[in-house]
């Protein structure tokens, strides 16, 4: 049967005001495609395959699924006690999935297909992380970058650079939009309006949560990363970042680029899951950090394990703003 990429064709990467209605519409479209036309709807990223009971499937799809199902507060088998993070699609996970399916009005068969995977992503992606306002020094770090983001990552955000004692050093505009949903576009991708590929996927939106951050010397390709020192997310500590960085999302940087025919304050291009900012902002961040005694470590180019002690923190918090511009619906 013909295959239609779910993320390209029918997904809305935002929780609308009427959450249950939007979810019902999405699942109804999926069912209609399969039943009426025999269409094989592809799994939404990061899910790469259908998960079935008794197969003991392992890998990224299962790991993400288990972490997200732990947030299904209305599903007792998922939360009391918390679902074990085994990385295997085992009996406990199947039981949890069945109850989640039942709670969403889906066939309670324990099979994680496109409909169930979409429902999990739709309802359970938000990690609930809230920055606690504590100074970086309280955890032994020299600086902190704090950003509040919308579900619609086409809305650019404001980052705050804080010294070790929480003194605000600088505020600057950033863009945390990963790849455009369902598309591979030529660099630089200035498309706007969609919410961006979800953060659990390769090259998706920058993950929310708290991470260790560190200043590195410039990347080798100034065209893509700019000529200035970059900041690198090293290890997730809380929220979605805790299980994504660096296991599934390595190489998340705060950087700029040499973007043709662009100048501030125009919208910046989308990234491959990094944080973009204007060239002058990235230079100023580096200058301010080094004035605070932060060292620009020699860039390891994404090598793991990371060879230095991280000097800073990156805090990214999702905010729910009903007045924010909604994402456009990716057309059929």
């Amino acid at each position: 049967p013909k295959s239609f990429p779910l993320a390209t064709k029918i997904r809305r990467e935002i929780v609308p005001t009427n959450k249950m209605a939007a979810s019902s519409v999405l699942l109804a479209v999926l069912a209609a495609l399969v039943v009426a036309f025999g269409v094989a709807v592809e799994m939404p990223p990061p899910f790469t395959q259908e998960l079935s009971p008794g197969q003991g499937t392992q890998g990224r799809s299962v790991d993400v699924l288990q972490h997200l199902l732990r947030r299904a507060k209305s599903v007792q088998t998922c939360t009391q006690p918390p679902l074990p993070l085994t990385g295997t699609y085992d009996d406990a996970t199947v039981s949890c999935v069945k109850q989640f399916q039942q709670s969403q009005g889906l066939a309670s068969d324990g099979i994680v297909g496109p409909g169930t995977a979409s429902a999990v992503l739709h309802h359970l992606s938000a990690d609930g992380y809230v920055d606690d306002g504590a100074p970086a020094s309280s955890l032994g770090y020299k600086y902190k970058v704090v950003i509040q983001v919308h579900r619609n990552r086409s809305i650019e955000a404001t980052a705050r650079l804080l010294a070790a004692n929480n003194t605000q050093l600088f505020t600057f505009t950033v863009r945390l939009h990963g790849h455009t949903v369902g598309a591979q576009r030529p660099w630089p991708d200035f498309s706007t309006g969609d919410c961006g590929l979800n953060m659990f996927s390769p090259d998706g939106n920058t993950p929310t949560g708290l991470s260790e951050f560190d200043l590195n010397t410039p990347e080798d390709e100034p065209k893509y990363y700019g000529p200035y020192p970059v900041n690198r997310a090293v290890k997730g500590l809380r929220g979605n970042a805790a299980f994504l960085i660096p296991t599934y999302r390595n190489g998340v940087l705060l950087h700029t680029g040499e973007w043709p025919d662009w100048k501030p304050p125009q919208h910046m291009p989308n990234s491959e899951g990094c944080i973009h900012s204007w060239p002058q902002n990235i230079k100023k961040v580096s200058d301010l950090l080094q004035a605070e005694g932060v060292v620009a470590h020699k860039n390891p180019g994404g090598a793991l394990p990371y060879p230095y002690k991280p000097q800073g923190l990156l805090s990214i918090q999702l905010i729910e703003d009903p007045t924010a511009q909604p994402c456009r619906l990716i057309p059929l």
Side-chain angles (χ1 to χ4, degrees):
K2 188 174 181 181
S3 177
F4 287 75
L6 175 67
T8 308
K9 303 297 181 183
I10 60 176
R11 285 185 64 207
R12 184 187 291 272
E13 291 288 327
I14 189 171
V15 178
T17 302
N18 189 337
K19 299 180 182 180
M20 291 304 295
S23 180
S24 298
V25 169
L26 172 63
L27 298 175
V29 171
L30 286 170
L33 286 171
V34 175
V35 174
F37 303 105
V39 174
V41 183
E42 291 185 0
M43 294 291 287
F47 296 95
T48 58
Q49 64 186 109
E50 191 173 85
L51 304 176
S52 298
Q55 295 184 352
T57 306
Q58 297 180 327
R60 183 190 192 123
S61 297
V62 178
D63 199 19
V64 171
L65 176 68
Q66 289 179 335
H67 276 90
L68 299 192
L69 284 173
R70 281 181 149 204
R71 300 173 184 166
K73 295 180 180 179
S74 62
V75 183
Q76 188 172 5
T77 56
C78 299
T79 59
Q80 299 177 15
L83 179 68
L85 300 174
T86 62
T88 300
Y89 196 53
D90 51 23
D91 291 344
T93 309
V94 171
S95 177
C96 172
V97 165
K98 286 181 177 180
Q99 284 207 6
F100 175 77
Q101 289 172 324
Q102 187 175 23
S103 74
Q104 298 301 313
L106 301 169
S108 183
D109 54 13
I111 298 173
V112 181
T116 297
S118 297
V120 168
L121 290 170
H122 182 80
H123 292 288
L124 305 177
S125 288
D127 55 18
Y129 168 75
V130 177
D131 184 78
D132 61 11
S137 60
S138 68
L139 293 175
Y141 298 92
K142 295 181 179 180
Y143 69 99
K144 186 177 184 181
V145 175
V146 179
I147 308 171
Q148 292 185 329
V149 295
H150 297 275
R151 289 183 183 271
N152 183 353
R153 295 296 184 92
S154 288
I155 301 173
E156 295 188 342
T158 298
R160 296 186 297 131
L161 176 63
L162 307 177
N165 63 358
N166 250 10
T167 299
Q168 183 167 290
L169 301 175
F170 185 41
T171 62
F172 55 104
T173 303
V174 289
R175 187 175 182 86
L176 295 85
H177 187 300
H179 276 186
T180 299
V181 176
Q184 294 290 334
R185 299 178 183 269
W187 180 92
D189 173 17
F190 285 97
S191 63
T192 188
D194 73 292
C195 285
L197 183 60
N198 67 68
M199 69 188 83
F200 311 105
S201 304
D203 301 327
N205 296 333
T206 315
T208 53
L210 183 70
S211 302
E212 292 184 318
F213 217 28
D214 201 26
L215 187 65
N216 287 179
T217 56
E219 292 280 316
D220 291 336
E221 299 178 281
K223 174 181 177 180
Y224 300 110
Y225 300 100
Y228 307 114
V230 300
N231 274 272
R232 181 182 302 274
V234 176
K235 180 183 178 182
L237 303 175
R238 300 174 193 165
N240 286 325
F243 73 92
L244 292 174
I245 299 174
T247 305
Y248 297 119
R249 297 296 305 274
N250 188 29
V252 173
L253 307 174
L254 169 60
H255 69 93
T256 189
E258 297 174 355
W259 306 317
D261 303 318
W262 174 90
K263 61 181 179 180
Q266 294 175 328
H267 281 303
M268 292 172 275
N270 301 326
S271 71
E272 294 184 348
C274 293
I275 306 170
H276 278 171
S277 192
W278 305 349
Q280 61 265 41
N281 292 343
I282 297 300
K283 182 180 186 302
K284 185 168 183 177
V285 167
S286 172
D287 291 346
L288 288 169
L289 288 178
Q290 292 185 70
E292 292 288 314
V294 175
V295 176
H297 287 136
K298 181 175 175 56
N299 198 312
L304 295 175
Y306 187 70
Y308 313 110
K309 183 182 185 305
Q311 302 167 89
L313 293 169
L314 170 65
S315 178
I316 303 176
Q317 177 182 331
L318 175 68
I319 55 173
E320 302 284 3
D321 183 358
T323 67
Q325 179 184 355
C327 305
R328 61 180 170 84
L329 186 65
I330 305 301
L332 286 166

